[in-house]
């Protein structure tokens, strides 16, 4: 039992400190108090500080620091968005430049609220088939907690991962038969700020689910 506990802690701390996505994803083994409000935590975290800048530009600090839940895209997700937009721009102009500071304010105000949800949403509130929840900007996401048959040689039960799903098309895909919807895995879940909850999305997500 002690060996299993040490192994779990190693996974959990590794998730928070690792800079790339070549690591094990949080299976819900650990939760933790971050010791500050949500926005201050984002500002202080080296993989989330760019998100804090965008939230500030969008005028959403008060919402982020309310009794709400943030599904946080990390800095890698934001850089991927910048790279995608720049690649599209350079199809027309090879000398075009675009940085995170060039993301239009109206884009931030329209879409950043899609990561913020009313109330404190914890893993205990989630189910395998998921709930369709409405974000502060009016967009919907399916939030689910699903077991995955992984690490069976180290763990006595399947780890459960949180998923953040975008709908593509007119109707939601069945949770156990995804055809078109975009399923984003949560990298680290159940971070507890002094005001709300934080779940950090995997870095392969592109900010705003952008697809050029």
């Amino acid at each position: 039992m002690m060996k299993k506990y040490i192994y779990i802690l190693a996974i959990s701390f590794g998730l928070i400190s690792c800079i790339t996505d070549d690591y094990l994803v949080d299976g819900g083994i650990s939760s933790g108090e971050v010791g500050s409000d949500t926005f201050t935590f984002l500002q202080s975290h080296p993989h989330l500080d760019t998100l804090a800048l965008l939230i500030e530009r969008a005028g959403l600090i008060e919402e982020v620091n309310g009794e709400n839940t943030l599904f946080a895209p990390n800095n890698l997700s934001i850089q991927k968005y910048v790279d995608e937009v720049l690649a599209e721009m350079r199809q027309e102009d090879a000398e075009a430049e675009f940085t995170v500071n060039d993301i239009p304010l109206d884009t931030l105000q329209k879409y950043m609220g899609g990561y913020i949800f009313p109330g404190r949403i914890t893993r205990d509130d989630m189910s395998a088939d998921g709930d369709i929840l409405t974000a502060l900007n009016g967009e919907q996401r399916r939030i689910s907690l699903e077991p995955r048959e992984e690490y069976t040689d180290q763990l006595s039960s399947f780890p459960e991962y949180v998923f953040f799903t975008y709908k593509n098309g007119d109707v939601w895909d069945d949770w156990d038969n995804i055809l078109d919807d975009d399923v984003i895995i949560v990298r680290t879940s159940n971070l507890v700020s002094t005001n709300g909850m934080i779940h950090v999305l995997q870095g392969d997500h592109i900010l705003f689910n952008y697809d050029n």
Side-chain angles (χ1 to χ4, degrees), residues 131-143:
D131 294 301
I132 309 302
L133 302 180
T134 302
L136 293 191
N137 70 346
E139 295 179 348
Q140 291 186 325
R141 304 283 184 265
R142 175 191 274 126
I143 309 300

Side-chain angles (χ1 to χ4, degrees), residues 83-89 91 206 209-212:
D83 292 344
E84 290 284 332
V85 172
L86 182 58
E88 188 174 14
M89 291 173 61
Q91 291 177 5
I206 300 176
N209 208 37
Y210 182 80
D211 183 1
N212 65 7

Side-chain angles (χ1 to χ4, degrees), residues 93-175:
D93 177 6
E95 302 300 321
E97 295 294 335
F98 186 84
T99 71
V100 67
N101 295 321
D102 298 317
I103 301 176
L105 179 59
D106 59 350
T107 297
L108 294 176
Q109 292 173 333
K110 181 177 181 179
Y111 294 114
M112 189 60 70
Y115 295 104
I116 307 169
F117 294 79
R120 292 173 178 255
I121 304 170
T122 72
R123 294 173 63 93
D124 291 339
D125 301 315
M126 304 174 190
S127 62
D129 56 347
D131 294 301
I132 309 302
L133 302 180
T134 302
L136 293 191
N137 70 346
E139 295 179 348
Q140 291 186 325
R141 304 283 184 265
R142 175 191 274 126
I143 309 300
S144 58
L145 178 68
E146 304 177 35
R148 286 293 184 267
E149 190 173 347
E150 298 176 349
Y151 315 126
T152 53
D153 56 335
Q154 292 102 357
L155 303 178
S156 58
S157 60
F158 297 154
E160 294 180 312
Y161 298 145
V162 178
F163 293 92
F164 181 81
T165 301
Y166 286 78
K167 180 176 71 173
N168 282 321
D170 296 329
V171 297
W172 290 93
D173 292 340
D174 294 334
W175 71 275

Side-chain angles (χ1 to χ4, degrees), residues 171-196:
V171 297
W172 290 93
D173 292 340
D174 294 334
W175 71 275
D176 57 351
N177 185 29
I178 299 296
L179 300 175
D180 301 309
D181 293 346
D182 292 328
V183 182
I184 313 302
I185 194 168
V186 168
R187 166 185 173 177
T188 306
S189 63
N190 263 29
L191 297 175
V192 184
S193 69
T194 55
N195 62 274

